[in-house]
Amino acid sequence: MRIGIFDSGIGGLTVHRELRAALPGHDLVYLGDTARVPYGTRSPETVKRYSFAVASHLAEAGAEAVVIACNTATTYALEDLAEAGARAGIQVFGVVEPGVRAALAAHHDGAIAVLGTEGTIRGGAYQRALTRTIPEDQIRGVPCPLFVPLAEEGWVDGDVPLAVAERYLGGLRGQIDTAILGCTHYPLLKPVLAEILPGVTLVDSAESTAQAVLAALGPGDGDGSESFVVTDHVDRFTSVGEQFLGRRPQSVSWVDVGPPRGVFSLP
Ligand code: DGL
């Protein structure tokens, strides 16, 4: 099967990495919208339009399933993308529900923190999903916008990320037992987060998403080919992407995704 994966840019490679490990026999096409990153600070309407445009390209590239490897895009576009995809037999997966399930399984008697971009926290998709099981006063949504540029710069250890993490999260110590890394970039900061929040279970929604896709599609029995397309800066994607993917992405090319169309015309 050919699976399209998309993110606002490089961060979704953390999801690609987990998908590759869990589904070795499917072909993966990754699209990073590097010309329009970040999505995390944009309006819901803009994030939705970008997501539909990118999904349109993936559908034309032959994707039979689509994984939204971006928390902000999942927050604002999953419902409508899934509805549009269903009409054409394209299953669409997001990162929120799998992260929530993993967090609820890990959580004991403390609160659950959701760490994400401004858009993800403001959109409230994680919080809404959590309130189906735990009361609202057990949930802390914390926007951590500076974590994205830190991860992109490779500043994932040392004084600077520690100081930033302390500022965002120090106040949660003793209140929470679980934190959802609700942004594709945050898994790179796991060691720093573990230092600031000792004893707290850090839930990586990349891992739980890959398990959800595996449960739905199986591991595949093909060659497991892969390709990467980006809307800007092929070279930067290739070099910075190595940290996110754990190896250098191969076969990276540029693409102009164009407007939303076809299966994924805007509703
Ligand atoms: N990929 C985005 C997310 O997971 C983070 C980067 C951005 O703001 O676009 O929310």
Side-chain angles (χ1 to χ4, degrees):
M1 197 165 181
R2 177 170 296 184
I3 303 174
I5 305 165
F6 81 86
D7 177 41
S8 54
I10 285 172
L13 289 174
T14 56
V15 180
H16 182 292
R17 178 181 181 155
E18 300 299 334
L19 283 168
R20 179 78 295 165
L23 293 86
H26 290 293
D27 297 337
L28 304 181
V29 183
Y30 181 95
L31 195 156
D33 195 7
T34 45
R36 304 191 283 197
V37 67
Y39 283 10
T41 51
R42 300 195 193 279
S43 69
E45 296 74 26
T46 298
V47 172
K48 199 162 158 180
R49 186 158 38 84
Y50 289 175
S51 302
F52 270 74
V54 163
S56 301
H57 176 86
L58 289 171
E60 283 175 4
E64 300 158 83
V66 171
V67 179
I68 309 176
C70 173
N71 294 264
T72 313
T74 300
T75 299
Y76 291 124
L78 171 65
E79 218 175 293
D80 290 331
L81 282 175
E83 206 180 304
R87 287 195 288 271
I90 300 176
Q91 201 169 344
V92 181
F93 300 87
V95 287
V96 169
E97 284 292 338
V100 164
R101 274 197 300 275
L104 289 170
H107 148 85
H108 299 290
D109 47 5
I112 297 182
V114 182
L115 319 183
T117 64
E118 283 168 34
T120 296
I121 301 305
R122 205 179 336 106
Y126 275 107
Q127 296 94 313
R128 278 193 299 280
L130 286 166
T131 50
R132 292 201 299 262
T133 309
I134 60 170
E136 214 170 315
D137 64 5
Q138 292 263 41
I139 304 163
R140 311 273 186 279
V142 187
C144 308
L146 287 177
F147 286 169
V148 169
L150 284 170
E152 294 256 342
E153 285 299 320
W155 283 25
V156 292
D157 53 23
D159 296 352
V160 175
L162 273 173
V164 173
E166 175 61 31
R167 183 80 173 260
Y168 285 143
L169 307 174
L172 295 176
R173 264 193 303 275
Q175 288 186 31
I176 61 166
D177 62 23
T178 308
I180 301 177
L181 308 186
C183 174
T184 50
H185 288 60
Y186 299 179
L188 269 71
L189 289 151
K190 262 187 196 168
V192 164
L193 299 176
E195 203 170 323
I196 298 296
L197 297 171
V200 170
T201 304
L202 302 175
V203 173
D204 181 345
S205 50
E207 284 168 18
S208 38
T209 300
Q211 290 311 311
V213 179
L214 173 65
L217 305 182
D221 55 8
D223 298 342
S225 75
E226 54 188 40
S227 61
F228 301 86
V229 288
V230 292
T231 51
D232 203 3
H233 285 308
V234 169
D235 292 347
R236 186 166 196 280
F237 179 86
T238 308
S239 54
V240 180
E242 193 168 351
Q243 286 178 50
F244 290 80
L245 189 63
R247 61 191 155 84
R248 221 172 154 78
Q250 304 291 325
S251 326
V252 185
S253 54
W254 177 83
V255 71
D256 180 357
V257 293
R261 59 197 178 277
V263 174
F264 292 111
S265 295
L266 268 176

